[in-house]
Amino acid sequence: MDGSKGKPEVDLERMRHSCAHVLAAAVTKLYPQAKLGVGPAIADGFYYDIHTPTPLTSEDLPAIEAEMRRIRERKLPFVREEVAIDDAIAFMKSTHQDYKVELLDLLKSRGSTAAKGLDDPNLFENPAAGVSSVSLYKLGEFVDLCRGPHVEHSGQVGAFRLMRVAGAYWRGDNRNPQLTRVYGTTWANEADLKAYLFRLEEAEKRDHRKLGVSMGLFHIQEEAPGTVFWHPKGWTLFRTIERYMRTKLDNDGYVEVKTPQLVDRVFWEKSGHWENYRDAMFVAKPGKEGEEEDRLYAIKPMSCPGAVQIFRHGQRSYKDLPLRMAEFGACHRYEPSGALHGIMRVRAFTQDDAHIFCTEDQIPDESQKFCDLLRDIYKDFGFADLRVKFSDRPEQRAGSDEIWDKAESALEKGSSAAGLATTRNPGEGAFYGPKLEFVLRDAIGRDWQCGTLQVDFVLPERLDASYIGEDGAKHRPVMLHRAILGSFERFIGILIENYAGRLPTWLSPIQARMIPIADRHVDFAKDVARRLAHMQLPNGEGGVRIDIDASTERMQKKIRNAQIEQIPYMLVIGDKEAEAGKVALRLRSGKDLGAVTVEEAFERIAAEVGTRADIPVAP
RNA sequence: GCCGCAGUAGCUCAGGGGUAGAGCAGCGCAUUCGUAAUGCGCGGGUCGGGGGUUCAAUUCCCUCCUGCGGCACCA
């Protein structure tokens, strides 16, 4: 908040909410048959859900916005009026505001309009069930059910802009009719509004879908919706991350496995997936047309049932526990078409999955160990800001209360021992156990949930996993599902957006580019490139990933191209360098480090790769 | 999946009932250059697929696909 500089404090939320009323007033004026849903303030602005006989489209927005400006100019007062709830219902009925009537009925009977997971902050809430009166706000002719508060008059709603329309289900339930949600943004003044729009444009430039394609990392095409074609550079990035993760897991006591992609549906029936997720699973029926094999296979949507098969193959002893079984599992899920988003939400993805088979007593230690590992890894990728959500027992759940008590406290113990504070997510756990969800914050303040740690005492039961205990009897292991990156695809998308394409050197598909100034320098440049490619970088990264721009372009153009590709190091070679056997080192920040020996250049790159440092960028 | 919008050259985009145009990229030639764009030339498109209306459709209509913004979903 900057209320500094003697400026009057601005209550943006109040302005935004009032702006939603101005929008509603404008719409009801232009479309008298409009029925209103809810219209809260949200981050950066507001929305209002509206039903009109023919749905509003973006083409209608300019006229609505113009009407809103007229209302702003008239400086109409917001007038609060407390009325008996039955009077309010009668009034809303008389104006055919069916949705408002529905809300009022809820208020009357339950004292709250809370829908699942989302309670509308703009409406009256009464802890005691049932309310007898509600507040209405008048703005000129327009009357709305609302808790307030509002600015004094419509001249104070600030600088706004209607942004877009979208469909939204009434009360967030897809069985309900869909209203048109009009989104707007509101700021204290025109300058702030402009700054916001500028920020949006900047965020758009980070979009991994554009950057990833222009950086030559991957593409997606029509015939394979929601699945990624990884190009050489993108796959280099993928493999770099995979190699890094593998090393981390090797050092942390994991074993790695690979389980089948196609498994008979009978197997998924046993695991329970067929029943719950059949619609979201890809299936395959092999064989000649008309003579297909009489079995239906499903492509695995997740790796855990496969891991259990390996666990239960042969006998396990308590001495084998905890058994940390990792798999970079390629999973396929038939995600709803509207959910697909670049490489962040896809139908084929690779989880950095692992299943820890352990005893109940081992859960706290394993949780702590995992939290430590996860934080360590996030730090290496440049994410220091981490928060943890703790989702506890849902209403619908398997397992006794004792077991839940144990699992929940074990998870809490583990995360707090790792020095992580958790926020509670009541009732949001899986039916099979509680979970921790790890959320990282990126460079422009967006949150991404990536990691997860879930306790599961159902699947070992369903798939009959057991081990022989110290007592010689069979016992049921607990299974911890855990992921750090979540999926490689999504995590790479996050990395691209976090770094705006300027990946740290250790992750850059091309770390250095040779730029010979003239043809006569090409041979020397090739020689330098060869040498650097054969020197061993730390962390088992292999040689420097280097290429050479031997085109007939001018040096300036080659530099520009390397800049656009965000290559961390440019090694320029002309007569002076060839003579001295050196290279002129230029950073993508624009900094010119002058002529250095090949060894010096290597040391510099190696140091950066070794610390996984992010290179400072030009302002 | 639902609501709304969009799909024209590899990319960004203009155009519009009479079978298309720019910039960048690509290719060719010339240039051999000192830290973010050398010049000239050339090629490139079933205007997302299918159907309909029309003498004529890339343009209008229907439908499917894909994408975009949300909603719903995310084991």
Side-chain angles (χ1 to χ4, degrees):
Chain A
M1 281 273 101
D2 71 328
S4 54
K5 307 257 157 96
K7 275 195 208 161
E9 278 287 337
V10 179
D11 187 342
L12 271 177
E13 192 172 326
R14 189 180 289 222
M15 290 170 79
R16 286 168 180 160
H17 182 199
S18 299
C19 220
H21 277 245
V22 172
L23 166 62
V27 170
T28 44
K29 170 147 191 220
L30 296 174
Y31 307 87
Q33 292 161 289
K35 296 183 202 291
L36 300 169
V38 294
I42 53 172
D44 305 329
F46 61 92
Y47 68 76
Y48 217 117
D49 288 346
I50 300 161
H51 169 89
T52 43
T54 48
L56 296 172
T57 74
S58 45
E59 282 166 30
D60 301 317
L61 295 185
I64 298 171
E65 203 175 285
E67 181 58 32
M68 288 173 71
R69 281 204 203 87
R70 281 193 285 279
I71 295 172
R72 182 170 62 185
E73 273 153 36
R74 287 167 65 194
K75 299 187 176 166
L76 297 168
F78 279 91
V79 182
R80 183 191 161 101
E81 193 182 335
E82 190 83 13
V83 300
I85 192 153
D86 288 324
D87 293 344
I89 292 173
F91 171 77
M92 289 300 174
K93 272 189 179 151
S94 73
T95 52
H96 307 289
Q97 288 298 343
D98 306 342
Y99 298 108
K100 297 294 181 187
V101 171
E102 190 178 328
L103 293 176
L104 284 163
D105 283 340
L106 278 170
L107 278 173
K108 189 178 174 185
S109 59
R110 294 215 326 237
S112 159
T113 58
K116 73 157 180 166
L118 172 120
D119 50 345
D120 177 7
N122 308 305
L123 293 158
F124 229 109
E125 271 182 43
N126 193 330
V131 294
S132 53
S133 70
V134 294
S135 56
L136 298 179
Y137 273 85
K138 272 189 193 167
L139 181 66
E141 299 297 294
F142 174 68
V143 180
D144 201 356
L145 165 68
C146 183
R147 175 170 65 176
H150 283 287
V151 295
E152 288 161 30
H153 62 77
S154 58
Q156 298 175 339
V157 294
F160 57 79
R161 170 84 62 88
L162 295 184
M163 303 296 284
R164 64 176 74 94
V165 295
Y169 298 107
W170 169 238
R171 297 183 70 71
D173 189 328
N174 63 7
R175 290 164 302 188
N176 285 338
Q178 225 170 13
L179 308 179
T180 304
R181 179 167 295 178
V182 180
Y183 282 93
T185 187
T186 304
W187 297 88
N189 50 59
E190 286 296 328
D192 286 2
L193 173 61
K194 259 183 124 170
Y196 170 71
L197 296 175
F198 180 73
R199 276 209 308 283
L200 280 188
E201 278 173 40
E202 288 302 299
E204 218 170 289
K205 288 186 195 155
R206 293 175 173 255
D207 192 322
H208 76 280
R209 291 167 299 188
K210 298 217 107 164
L211 273 177
V213 172
S214 65
M215 289 165 75
L217 302 182
F218 58 79
H219 85 268
I220 292 175
Q221 68 187 42
E222 273 196 36
E223 293 89 340
T227 54
V228 185
F229 287 79
W230 287 103
H231 293 209
K233 286 184 200 167
W235 194 242
T236 298
L237 173 57
F238 193 109
R239 287 200 306 146
T240 301
I241 295 170
E242 190 179 54
R243 180 168 57 232
Y244 164 81
M245 290 302 290
R246 190 164 274 143
T247 307
K248 282 295 195 186
L249 296 179
D250 286 348
N251 292 337
D252 219 46
Y254 284 79
V255 291
E256 187 180 326
V257 298
K258 199 78 180 173
T259 62
Q261 217 56 246
L262 281 166
V263 187
D264 194 304
R265 84 181 249 189
V266 172
F267 177 76
W268 301 107
E269 283 168 357
K270 244 187 268 174
S271 72
H273 290 91
W274 193 259
E275 188 190 353
N276 290 314
Y277 298 107
R278 200 269 158 261
D279 291 349
M281 287 165 74
F282 286 98
V283 294
K285 209 157 174 60
K288 226 203 273 184
E289 191 167 0
E291 301 172 29
E292 288 89 354
E293 195 181 326
D294 194 24
R295 302 171 75 174
L296 193 59
Y297 295 86
I299 305 174
K300 75 171 178 182
M302 58 190 327
S303 300
C304 27
V308 176
Q309 301 317 301
I310 294 178
F311 181 86
R312 30 170 291 148
H313 199 86
Q315 280 199 335
R316 296 287 174 184
S317 148
Y318 70 96
K319 293 176 187 167
D320 297 327
L321 305 185
L323 177 60
R324 308 185 191 95
M325 197 184 286
E327 174 169 10
F328 296 128
C331 300
H332 290 74
R333 297 178 186 173
Y334 185 65
E335 301 284 1
S337 56
L340 302 180
H341 181 86
I343 63 171
M344 297 261 208
R345 189 80 185 271
V346 284
R347 287 182 173 155
F349 52 93
T350 312
Q351 289 179 315
D352 65 316
D353 208 356
H355 302 94
I356 302 172
F357 297 89
C358 63
T359 66
E360 282 172 30
D361 296 338
Q362 289 168 333
I363 300 175
D365 278 356
E366 287 303 309
S367 306
Q368 182 189 346
K369 196 172 160 60
F370 174 70
C371 289
D372 286 340
L373 176 67
L374 172 133
R375 195 162 45 170
D376 188 33
I377 287 173
Y378 283 175
K379 212 178 290 161
D380 280 343
F381 283 106
F383 300 110
D385 194 345
L386 172 66
R387 48 211 75 206
V388 188
K389 293 188 291 183
F390 180 81
S391 299
D392 60 18
R393 65 191 77 187
E395 278 179 33
Q396 291 270 326
R397 59 177 182 269
S400 68
D401 285 352
E402 292 74 42
I403 249 175
W404 275 89
D405 288 342
K406 214 164 181 176
E408 285 173 2
S409 75
L411 269 190
E412 290 236 88
K413 242 186 259 170
S415 58
S416 65
L420 295 170
T422 58
T423 54
R424 202 92 174 177
N425 239 314
E428 291 294 306
F431 77 93
Y432 51 75
K435 57 184 176 189
L436 294 177
E437 283 162 341
F438 301 88
V439 179
L440 52 84
R441 183 157 288 183
D442 75 6
I444 56 173
R446 293 175 303 180
D447 287 339
W448 304 95
Q449 190 195 307
C450 294
T452 179
L453 173 62
Q454 310 180 4
V455 182
D456 183 355
F457 24 73
V458 169
L459 201 61
E461 181 81 35
R462 284 196 85 124
L463 297 178
D464 191 28
S466 64
Y467 66 92
I468 309 297
E470 244 173 307
D471 55 4
K474 268 193 181 181
H475 296 272
R476 205 55 89 193
V478 176
M479 208 173 161
L480 304 180
H481 305 250
R482 41 108 296 171
I484 294 173
L485 309 179
S487 93
F488 281 77
E489 286 77 3
R490 181 159 174 274
F491 195 76
I492 288 172
I494 294 169
L495 283 175
I496 293 169
E497 302 207 352
N498 180 61
Y499 288 108
R502 246 175 264 111
L503 295 168
T505 304
W506 75 284
L507 291 171
S508 289
I510 297 177
Q511 296 167 318
R513 169 161 297 164
M514 300 300 313
I515 299 182
I517 291 178
D519 289 351
R520 62 180 176 278
H521 308 123
V522 168
D523 283 344
F524 179 52
K526 279 185 178 162
D527 183 50
V528 171
R530 218 173 1 246
R531 282 164 65 192
L532 286 168
H534 283 92
M535 293 181 182
Q536 289 301 305
L537 291 167
N539 308 323
E541 296 284 339
V544 176
R545 295 191 288 267
I546 188 166
D547 67 1
I548 177 165
D549 184 348
S551 68
T552 58
E553 291 294 344
R554 297 170 64 209
M555 177 203 63
Q556 283 90 333
K557 182 64 175 292
K558 294 182 185 181
I559 287 177
R560 181 182 150 81
N561 286 343
Q563 256 338 118
I564 290 168
E565 290 176 58
Q566 300 292 2
I567 295 170
Y569 288 92
M570 286 158 246
L571 280 60
V572 181
I573 286 182
D575 287 335
K576 282 185 282 180
E577 289 75 20
E579 179 105 358
K582 291 187 169 185
V583 296
L585 206 52
R586 184 193 206 271
L587 306 184
R588 65 180 159 190
S589 65
K591 195 168 183 190
D592 185 354
L593 297 179
V596 299
T597 64
V598 175
E599 287 70 26
E600 284 167 339
F602 175 76
E603 287 312 319
R604 163 114 202 175
I605 296 169
E608 209 163 78
V609 169
T611 57
R612 301 202 170 82
D614 184 17
I615 317 181
V617 297

